[in-house]
Structures are given as structure tokens and as C-alpha cells.
Amino acid sequence: MFHDSFTYHYGDQQLMNKSLQREMKLAKNIQSSLLNGKTPVFEGGEVIGASLPARLIGGDYYDFYPLNNGKIRIVIGDVMGKGIPAAMLMILTRGAFRSAAESNPSPGATLTAINQAIYADLRTLRSFVTLFCADWDPKTRILTYANAGHNLPIHVCGNSEKVKQVPIVKGIMIGGLPSQVYEEESIQLDSLDMVFFYTDGIIEAQNKDGEQYKMDRLIQTLSIHREKDIEEIEKYVLESIHQFTEGVPQKDDITMVLLKTFDQKINISSVNSPLL
């Protein structure tokens, strides 16, 4: 009887494990679909994003939201934690962003609305989200942005060797304090300029000796490959990280968004599926 009971419970556990694996794969597919939605197409530049979770599913987030005025709203974020809890909060954040982007005129107002929408939930879960939100105007080449405790993007100048962070704009993380108002800053981009948005998983990636990849290596990689297409730049950044880490497993999600202008200033003619 003991043997039969053991066999029953062991078999039951196997079924539960298989069911959990199926659900994890489904969750990964759902998250991949949300992160790999349609990339907006516009004249005068390109934008692209990529995310590699440290586990099967992750808590990093990026999104693009085309506006009726021809601008593209870009967001990148990092949810505290990893795995399933972080992924659930990422989906919550995505929903809040999509709703806020539809009804708010600017990046700062969007972050303010997101904080108001999910602050109570984040406090209940004792978590927070860092977000960087920017509006890109292909007509004027002006990038207007607001920050909720996230890493500042890197500005790679196309016609010089300058690589620098965008001007500082401060703002507390989403879920940090209620009733926050997020200030904005703007920069003028020139021909062949690039803005590189990223999460901590890139600069904090470690090799077998515990050394971090750090900002200097990222800037060097972006500088070396500055003249390439954004798909190639994305590939070379990932290759640089992998070569540095020498196969050491990721400890954090790795996410990036690249925005690059074209050589000529062209008026926007169309944007895929405007939503606002």
C-alpha cells in the first residue's frame, strides 16, 4: 500500500510539473508577443527594441506607441525583481502605459498618469518600476522625455565622436510616492544621431571574475559601431556582452531600444496604425 501511495503521489507530482512547464511556456509566449509587437515605421529614422530575460520570463519592458500627431512615444522600464512576479508587474505596467499614452499629451503627463494608476498596487506588492518615457518627433528631430528613476539614455552624435548621456531630468520611480509630477527635458538630434535606451542588466552583466560590463564598455561598443544600421548595432552590443561574460548566466534582464535618424531630414508621411 505504501508503494502504491508513493507511486500515486509521484505520478501526481509529475503531472503538476508538466502542467507548470506548459503554463510557463505559455507565459513566455504571451510576454514575447507583447514585447515584440509591431515596430512603428516612419520617415527620417528607425527604432528597434530587444529584450533577453535572465529567466524564462522577465520584468524588463519596452514599448512603442504611435501618435496621431506623427510622434512616436517610446518607453523602457525595469520592474523590481525577476521571474513570474516581475513579469506580472510588467504586464500591469504595459497596460497602464497604453492607457496613459492614449489620453495624455506628453511623456511627463504619461508617467504621472501611470504612477496614479498603479501606485496602490505597487505599494501593496512592495514593489516599484523604473521608467523612461520619450516622444520622438521625426519632423523636427526633437526628443522630449521624462524619467521615473531609470537610467538616462546615451546620445551618440552622428557627425562627431561625442558619446554622452542625455541631459539629466530627475523623477522618482513609479510606485515610490503618490501624486508625483514628472518634469520634462528635450534634445535636438542631428543627422545620423542615435539614442540608446537600456536597462541595468547591460552595464551590470558580470564575467566569471565578478567584474561588471559597465558604462565604459557600452560607450566604446556604441562608438565603434556608430555608423552601422541599428539592427547591426543591436547585434554588436549583445555580442560584446556575451564575449565579456564568457558564458556566465545572466543575473538580470537585458533590454535595449535604439533610435537612429537618417541622413536627410524628411517630413513624415505615414506611421503604422496610429492609435491616438
Side-chain angles (χ1 to χ4, degrees):
M1 181 176 294
F2 174 78
H3 181 268
D4 290 342
S5 177
F6 175 79
T7 302
Y8 172 79
H9 288 297
Y10 179 73
D12 191 48
Q13 186 65 46
Q14 282 187 314
L15 289 175
M16 289 178 62
N17 288 340
K18 288 182 179 179
S19 177
L20 180 60
Q21 289 175 1
R22 285 195 298 269
E23 291 181 5
M24 286 288 289
K25 289 181 180 178
L26 177 60
K28 177 178 175 62
N29 290 337
I30 292 172
Q31 187 178 57
S32 296
S33 297
L34 293 178
L35 282 174
N36 294 299
K38 180 179 275 188
T39 299
V41 176
F42 51 91
E43 294 191 19
E46 289 182 291
V47 68
I48 193 173
S51 186
L52 297 176
R55 300 182 183 176
L56 187 62
I57 53 179
D60 277 6
Y61 165 61
Y62 73 88
D63 203 358
F64 310 118
Y65 198 100
L67 306 175
N68 267 348
N69 58 14
K71 296 179 182 180
I72 308 296
R73 187 157 292 167
I74 301 167
V75 69
I76 187 169
D78 188 352
V79 177
M80 186 183 76
K82 301 179 184 67
I84 295 176
M88 293 174 67
L89 289 177
M90 185 275 275
I91 293 174
L92 176 68
T93 303
R94 182 186 187 274
F97 169 73
R98 287 261 159 169
S99 177
E102 186 174 348
S103 56
N104 287 278
S106 68
T110 297
L111 291 183
T112 297
I114 293 173
N115 191 60
Q116 290 174 344
I118 64 176
Y119 173 81
D121 289 336
L122 291 173
R123 287 300 86 217
T124 299
L125 298 170
R126 298 182 180 180
S127 187
F128 62 84
V129 182
T130 68
L131 288 176
F132 191 93
C133 184
D135 278 8
W136 164 241
D137 188 340
K139 293 180 181 179
T140 64
R141 286 184 175 164
I142 293 175
L143 186 74
T144 303
Y145 56 89
N147 190 17
H150 198 74
N151 304 309
L152 292 171
I154 299 170
H155 178 198
V156 181
C157 301
N159 295 315
S160 71
E161 295 185 359
K162 291 182 179 179
V163 181
K164 56 189 177 181
Q165 286 184 324
V166 301
I168 293 174
V169 59
K170 294 182 180 180
I172 194 167
M173 56 200 155
I174 303 297
L177 289 172
S179 305
Q180 289 298 292
V181 176
Y182 292 89
E183 298 180 356
E184 296 178 356
E185 184 63 77
S186 296
I187 57 171
Q188 176 74 59
L189 301 186
D190 294 322
S191 176
L192 300 177
D193 278 11
M194 180 177 68
V195 179
F196 183 86
F197 308 77
Y198 66 98
T199 60
D200 280 341
I202 292 180
I203 58 175
E204 295 179 358
Q206 295 185 2
N207 63 16
K208 60 184 179 181
D209 297 320
E211 297 173 332
Q212 292 189 339
Y213 185 75
K214 294 186 179 179
M215 180 68 72
D216 289 345
R217 288 185 179 86
L218 176 57
I219 288 176
Q220 182 181 35
T221 301
L222 294 174
S223 182
I224 291 172
H225 301 290
R226 67 194 315 130
E227 296 181 357
K228 296 181 173 65
D229 295 336
I230 56 173
E231 291 87 355
E232 292 182 280
I233 297 171
E234 175 192 286
K235 181 187 71 174
Y236 282 116
V237 169
L238 291 174
E239 284 183 359
S240 175
I241 296 169
H242 291 155
Q243 289 174 4
F244 173 78
T245 56
E246 299 177 310
V248 174
Q250 284 178 237
K251 291 186 177 181
D252 200 1
D253 304 328
I254 289 174
T255 302
M256 69 186 81
V257 170
L258 294 85
L259 168 68
K260 190 171 185 181
T261 65
F262 287 159
D263 195 18
Q264 295 181 344
K265 194 171 183 177
I266 307 171
N267 288 332
I268 189 168
S269 62
S270 63
V271 176
N272 283 356
S273 304
L275 301 176
L276 181 58

